[in-house]
């Protein structure tokens, strides 16, 4: 069974992360399935825009610690979202953690329901937001990122909007997105592709310049003794040994 659900309405293809049992964690299967679906959307002239959403109460919990994808596969997926010549809109009604924020930042427009929450939790298991920094750092407030990268604090949708992780938030996310999707449907495919290239040029430059180093950093951190301790503590629902 594919971990990606798909529907289409008036040229907007909705891709749903559909592994609610694992809180839509980034497993090898989910990363591969989403990459395949995006490639099909890129080749399909009937797709004007893509909405990325989820089933269950979590948009994405970050890396699947039991079935982790290769760091280079995650980098490839994030770059694919940024480089797709059609707009990608994130629609979030639940929680977003760690690597899930990389998916969010790689989208062109991101909307969330007011009850959604967000956190860069990597430091709490002994790693860092390495590869997801490629889309996150160019698009979010650097002073706010310094706080939330270093502390792993949970923030709400209003704060996520203020610091640039979200474009907009509202009690009814679909009502908030209605004018956005209407605008995309009224835009020409050529115009959308050209406008998106203007917006993503610097983000793609960051990928080209830093992806190899950040991929190596991610692999090194995840294979470290502290990360093993942190991931074990997380899976056993207890504090890591360094917690004071």
């Amino acid at each position: 069974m594919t971990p990606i659900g798909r529907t289409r309405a008036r040229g907007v293809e909705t891709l749903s992360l559909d592994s609610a049992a694992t809180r839509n964690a980034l497993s090898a299967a989910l990363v591969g399935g989403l990459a395949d679906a995006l490639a099909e959307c890129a080749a399909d002239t009937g797709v004007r825009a893509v909405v990325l959403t989820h089933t269950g109460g979590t948009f994405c919990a970050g890396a699947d610690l039991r079935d982790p994808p290769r760091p280079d596969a995650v980098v490839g997926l994030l770059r694919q979202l940024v480089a797709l010549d059609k707009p990608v809109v994130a629609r979030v009604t639940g929680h977003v953690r760690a690597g899930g924020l990389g998916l969010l930042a790689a989208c062109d427009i991101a909307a969330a329901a007011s009850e959604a929450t967000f956190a860069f939790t990597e430091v709490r298991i002994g790693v860092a937001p390495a590869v997801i920094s490629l889309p996150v750092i160019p698009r979010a407030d650097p002073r706010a990122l310094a706080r939330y990268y270093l502390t792993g604090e949970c923030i709400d949708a209003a704060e996520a909007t203020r610091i640039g992780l979200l474009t907009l938030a509202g009690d009814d996310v679909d009502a908030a997105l209605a004018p956005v999707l209407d605008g995309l449907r009224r835009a020409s495919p050529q115009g959308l592709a050209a406008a998106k290239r203007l917006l993503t040029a610097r983000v793609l430059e960051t990928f080209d310049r830093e992806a190899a180093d950040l991929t190596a950093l991610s692999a090194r951190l995840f294979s470290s003794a502290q990360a093993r301790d942190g991931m074990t503590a997380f899976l056993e629902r207890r504090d890591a040994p360094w917690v004071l």
Side-chain angles (χ1 to χ4, degrees), residues 27-39:
S27 64
L30 189 144
V31 168
L34 182 54
D36 290 345
L38 289 168

PDB file of all heavy atoms in Angstrom, residues 27-39:
ATOM      1  N   SER A  27       9.927   7.859   6.557  1.00  0.00           N
ATOM      2  CA  SER A  27      10.531   6.553   6.306  1.00  0.00           C
ATOM      3  C   SER A  27      11.083   6.518   4.893  1.00  0.00           C
ATOM      4  O   SER A  27      10.783   7.387   4.057  1.00  0.00           O
ATOM      5  CB  SER A  27       9.485   5.455   6.465  1.00  0.00           C
ATOM      6  OG  SER A  27       8.469   5.600   5.477  1.00  0.00           O
ATOM      7  N   ALA A  28      11.869   5.489   4.587  1.00  0.00           N
ATOM      8  CA  ALA A  28      12.356   5.327   3.219  1.00  0.00           C
ATOM      9  C   ALA A  28      11.184   5.195   2.260  1.00  0.00           C
ATOM     10  O   ALA A  28      11.202   5.764   1.158  1.00  0.00           O
ATOM     11  CB  ALA A  28      13.272   4.108   3.141  1.00  0.00           C
ATOM     12  N   ALA A  29      10.130   4.477   2.668  1.00  0.00           N
ATOM     13  CA  ALA A  29       8.976   4.270   1.793  1.00  0.00           C
ATOM     14  C   ALA A  29       8.218   5.572   1.554  1.00  0.00           C
ATOM     15  O   ALA A  29       7.800   5.860   0.429  1.00  0.00           O
ATOM     16  CB  ALA A  29       8.044   3.218   2.392  1.00  0.00           C
ATOM     17  N   LEU A  30       8.019   6.365   2.603  1.00  0.00           N
ATOM     18  CA  LEU A  30       7.272   7.608   2.435  1.00  0.00           C
ATOM     19  C   LEU A  30       8.051   8.601   1.577  1.00  0.00           C
ATOM     20  O   LEU A  30       7.483   9.248   0.680  1.00  0.00           O
ATOM     21  CB  LEU A  30       6.929   8.211   3.793  1.00  0.00           C
ATOM     22  CG  LEU A  30       5.965   9.400   3.765  1.00  0.00           C
ATOM     23  CD1 LEU A  30       5.031   9.373   4.966  1.00  0.00           C
ATOM     24  CD2 LEU A  30       6.713  10.727   3.738  1.00  0.00           C
ATOM     25  N   VAL A  31       9.345   8.724   1.809  1.00  0.00           N
ATOM     26  CA  VAL A  31      10.169   9.638   1.011  1.00  0.00           C
ATOM     27  C   VAL A  31      10.153   9.216  -0.455  1.00  0.00           C
ATOM     28  O   VAL A  31       9.966  10.046  -1.361  1.00  0.00           O
ATOM     29  CB  VAL A  31      11.605   9.695   1.559  1.00  0.00           C
ATOM     30  CG1 VAL A  31      12.548  10.398   0.589  1.00  0.00           C
ATOM     31  CG2 VAL A  31      11.623  10.412   2.910  1.00  0.00           C
ATOM     32  N   GLY A  32      10.311   7.920  -0.704  1.00  0.00           N
ATOM     33  CA  GLY A  32      10.297   7.437  -2.078  1.00  0.00           C
ATOM     34  C   GLY A  32       8.944   7.607  -2.745  1.00  0.00           C
ATOM     35  O   GLY A  32       8.857   7.991  -3.920  1.00  0.00           O
ATOM     36  N   GLY A  33       7.878   7.325  -1.997  1.00  0.00           N
ATOM     37  CA  GLY A  33       6.535   7.467  -2.556  1.00  0.00           C
ATOM     38  C   GLY A  33       6.192   8.898  -2.896  1.00  0.00           C
ATOM     39  O   GLY A  33       5.588   9.177  -3.943  1.00  0.00           O
ATOM     40  N   LEU A  34       6.587   9.838  -2.033  1.00  0.00           N
ATOM     41  CA  LEU A  34       6.314  11.247  -2.306  1.00  0.00           C
ATOM     42  C   LEU A  34       7.144  11.730  -3.491  1.00  0.00           C
ATOM     43  O   LEU A  34       6.643  12.483  -4.344  1.00  0.00           O
ATOM     44  CB  LEU A  34       6.600  12.088  -1.065  1.00  0.00           C
ATOM     45  CG  LEU A  34       6.320  13.590  -1.182  1.00  0.00           C
ATOM     46  CD1 LEU A  34       4.895  13.865  -1.659  1.00  0.00           C
ATOM     47  CD2 LEU A  34       6.578  14.283   0.156  1.00  0.00           C
ATOM     48  N   ALA A  35       8.392  11.304  -3.576  1.00  0.00           N
ATOM     49  CA  ALA A  35       9.231  11.694  -4.710  1.00  0.00           C
ATOM     50  C   ALA A  35       8.631  11.201  -6.024  1.00  0.00           C
ATOM     51  O   ALA A  35       8.598  11.936  -7.025  1.00  0.00           O
ATOM     52  CB  ALA A  35      10.648  11.154  -4.531  1.00  0.00           C
ATOM     53  N   ASP A  36       8.135   9.971  -6.038  1.00  0.00           N
ATOM     54  CA  ASP A  36       7.518   9.430  -7.256  1.00  0.00           C
ATOM     55  C   ASP A  36       6.265  10.215  -7.631  1.00  0.00           C
ATOM     56  O   ASP A  36       6.043  10.526  -8.811  1.00  0.00           O
ATOM     57  CB  ASP A  36       7.159   7.952  -7.052  1.00  0.00           C
ATOM     58  CG  ASP A  36       8.378   7.047  -6.985  1.00  0.00           C
ATOM     59  OD1 ASP A  36       9.477   7.496  -7.382  1.00  0.00           O
ATOM     60  OD2 ASP A  36       8.233   5.898  -6.532  1.00  0.00           O
ATOM     61  N   ALA A  37       5.440  10.542  -6.632  1.00  0.00           N
ATOM     62  CA  ALA A  37       4.204  11.283  -6.909  1.00  0.00           C
ATOM     63  C   ALA A  37       4.513  12.674  -7.447  1.00  0.00           C
ATOM     64  O   ALA A  37       3.847  13.158  -8.378  1.00  0.00           O
ATOM     65  CB  ALA A  37       3.363  11.374  -5.641  1.00  0.00           C
ATOM     66  N   LEU A  38       5.532  13.331  -6.904  1.00  0.00           N
ATOM     67  CA  LEU A  38       5.899  14.661  -7.395  1.00  0.00           C
ATOM     68  C   LEU A  38       6.429  14.601  -8.824  1.00  0.00           C
ATOM     69  O   LEU A  38       6.145  15.487  -9.638  1.00  0.00           O
ATOM     70  CB  LEU A  38       6.951  15.284  -6.473  1.00  0.00           C
ATOM     71  CG  LEU A  38       6.455  15.720  -5.094  1.00  0.00           C
ATOM     72  CD1 LEU A  38       7.633  16.045  -4.180  1.00  0.00           C
ATOM     73  CD2 LEU A  38       5.515  16.919  -5.194  1.00  0.00           C
ATOM     74  N   ALA A  39       7.186  13.555  -9.131  1.00  0.00           N
ATOM     75  CA  ALA A  39       7.687  13.406 -10.501  1.00  0.00           C
ATOM     76  C   ALA A  39       6.532  13.241 -11.481  1.00  0.00           C
ATOM     77  O   ALA A  39       6.557  13.800 -12.592  1.00  0.00           O
ATOM     78  CB  ALA A  39       8.642  12.221 -10.583  1.00  0.00           C
TER      79      ALA A  39
END
